Amino acid sequence: MTSTTAPTSADLTALELDDIQAGTLRPRPDPYAGAYLVLRIDDRRDGQELVRRLAEVVSSAADVLDPLAQASLSAAFSFAGLRALGVPQDSLDTFAPEFQQGMAARADKLGDVDRNAPAHWEHPLGSSDVHVVLTLLAPDVARFEATRATARTALDKLPGIGRVWRQDVYSPFDGRNSFGFHDGISQPGIESSGLPGRNPHEALLKPGEFVLGYLNETGDVSPTPQPEVLGRNGSYLVFRKLYTDVAAFRRYLHEQATSPAEEELLAAKLFGRWPSGAPLILAPDHDKPELGADPDRNNAFLYGDDPQGLMCPVSSHARRMNPRDAAVTGEVRLHRLLRRGATYGPPLPEGVLDDDGADRGLLFAAVNANLARQYEFVQAQWANDGKFIGAPDEHDPLIAAHDEHDQFTLPRKPIRRRLRGLPTFVVNRGGEYCFQPGIRALRWLGDPDT
Ligand code: HEM
């Protein structure tokens, strides 16, 4: 489609999978090995040459369902990166204001204060040195190395490109994150993507929730960067390096419980799922690994039959992040995210309660088409706001920064239980808002003067 022809209804609803980057739509392999590379463009010509090369090697979403084609290389750009590439000002002005400002400037809105404040972020995150973010993800080390070689070739003999940051990611044990919980389970289903929805009780979402240039859940098209060739088939990619204090998490549970079984129950109540991934709604009393491992059943539920949170606390992480049919602030379908996060760092050995000083956590990554309505709403309202319906004066027990007054309610009969003095388990070490363009758009970025 060009900007001179009026869009047809197919243009607005049928995803052009071969022009959308794999990193936007393809689920993360499981298990996986990968890396996030941050580059700085010091020389515009080298930057444009890099983008021209990337356009030839990034993976598309066309083979999104092909299990053999699971290694992918994707490229995204910060606002400073687009400027460094020479994107004209009248085009830069058409990007979402939150993207133009960048994540560090949105710190107050996102709750990135105190320990999470940009002043404490890992350099160069939050600085104007973050221009290009390459995401490499593969199902095994051999295919990761092949993808890394492709990225290296794209960077070859380009002295005007600085490699300024790198974070390796991998699934350490059995697809579980640093806290020992299976993740990456629940993802929204998207019309016309070819990917089956993961929850048979939820209708598929309109493509425009995640890819720019298509109809979204409001019946409209989210503001799409111009010219059309640049904006269409792109998405906003949010990435944050989230350090996890696993020792503090274990110690807190140990102090609150009288047995290992109770520790595991309390941990599951905080997450909304058991370590295997089995949801509390379908397994309220104990973990059911066969349920956790069954993709047809482990996400097939709503919360409507549990309005008080007796099975899955209203304030648990997974329920706050996607309340499904529960009554909450906001229309749930307007605040969904495609999560692309990956675990980093060595696991803390089982049973260890003292911190070993290692850096471990989640390289959180999420794709959406509207930063304000999707990612920022979820982070600011559902994670950090105390006025969440059903759990007043509480925050997300896992990802919010807590002070000594923070508590977590476990609804129970005859009497609820309150966990008090929640420590902070997750600290943001920095991140950025990026634009992950379509493949035609990459070619345009390689030569924006044409
Ligand atoms: C270190 C930080 C985090 C950890 C360890 C973590 C872990 C988890 C786990 C174990 C689940 C349940 C399994 C699944 O469905 O994948 C989950 C679900 C989810 N998380 Fe997180 N998460 C973290 C940060 C975040 C952040 C920052 C956001 C968004 C602002 C987020 C959004 C979600 C969403 C949307 C779901 C799916 C809920 C559903 O559809 O049922 N998470 N997370």
Side-chain angles (χ1 to χ4, degrees), residues 78-80 92-107 109-110 223 236-238 368-377 432-435:
S78 69
F79 189 64
L92 291 173
D93 291 342
T94 60
F95 281 83
E98 303 77 23
F99 170 72
Q100 294 189 33
Q101 290 169 29
M103 188 181 281
R106 307 289 295 166
K109 168 88 187 169
L110 299 174
Y236 290 109
L237 175 78
V238 178
N368 55 180
N370 189 319
L371 285 165
R373 165 158 80 66
Q374 292 170 276
Y375 170 67
E376 289 202 343
F377 180 94
E432 191 49 281
Y433 290 154
C434 296
F435 174 65

Side-chain angles (χ1 to χ4, degrees), residues 177-179 181-187 240 242-244 271 273 277 299 301 303 317-319 321-322 324 336-337 339 361-362 364 375 378-379 383 398-399 426:
N177 64 25
S178 55
F179 290 117
F181 280 68
H182 207 94
D183 67 8
I185 298 172
S186 175
Q187 299 282 10
R240 279 160 92 77
L242 299 177
Y243 164 77
T244 54
F271 274 99
R273 289 183 184 263
N299 202 38
F301 65 92
Y303 292 114
H317 172 65
R319 188 160 173 170
M321 294 295 91
N322 176 14
R324 302 181 186 220
R336 300 297 305 279
L337 299 169
R339 287 173 303 138
L362 175 75
F364 173 81
Y375 170 67
V378 172
Q379 183 76 53
L398 182 71
I399 63 171
V426 171

Side-chain angles (χ1 to χ4, degrees), residues 96-285:
E98 303 77 23
F99 170 72
Q100 294 189 33
Q101 290 169 29
M103 188 181 281
R106 307 289 295 166
D108 286 348
K109 168 88 187 169
L110 299 174
D112 286 339
V113 295
D114 302 327
R115 282 171 77 190
N116 291 311
H120 302 297
W121 287 5
E122 214 170 282
H123 187 73
L125 303 180
S127 80
S128 57
D129 283 355
V130 176
H131 289 170
V132 186
V133 177
L134 298 184
T135 307
L136 288 65
L137 278 177
D140 51 47
V141 172
R143 275 178 279 182
F144 166 60
E145 288 302 338
T147 311
R148 199 145 76 100
T150 304
R152 230 184 266 125
T153 307
L155 283 161
D156 194 34
K157 297 198 181 71
L158 295 179
I161 305 295
R163 303 174 199 200
V164 293
W165 191 77
R166 168 177 168 177
Q167 181 64 63
D168 289 337
V169 293
Y170 71 115
S171 39
F173 30 57
D174 201 16
R176 299 191 178 193
N177 64 25
S178 55
F179 290 117
F181 280 68
H182 207 94
D183 67 8
I185 298 172
S186 175
Q187 299 282 10
I190 310 167
E191 283 179 10
S192 125
S193 69
L195 290 165
R198 297 293 322 280
N199 185 350
H201 306 296
E202 281 181 336
L204 301 181
L205 294 173
K206 299 281 181 234
E209 287 300 304
F210 305 103
V211 186
L212 291 158
Y214 298 87
L215 284 180
N216 62 27
E217 287 292 317
T218 68
D220 215 337
V221 177
S222 281
T224 303
Q226 296 300 313
E228 173 94 15
V229 63
L230 174 62
R232 185 172 171 81
N233 293 328
S235 298
Y236 290 109
L237 175 78
V238 178
F239 87 90
R240 279 160 92 77
K241 177 173 174 175
L242 299 177
Y243 164 77
T244 54
D245 191 342
V246 177
F249 182 75
R250 288 185 189 165
R251 276 199 309 274
Y252 182 72
L253 295 171
H254 194 64
E255 287 158 16
Q256 303 296 320
T258 53
S259 67
E262 193 186 1
E263 276 178 47
E264 194 175 70
L265 175 68
L266 294 181
K269 293 281 186 184
L270 295 178
F271 274 99
R273 289 183 184 263
W274 295 94
S276 75
L280 282 173
I281 286 287
L282 302 179
D285 302 321

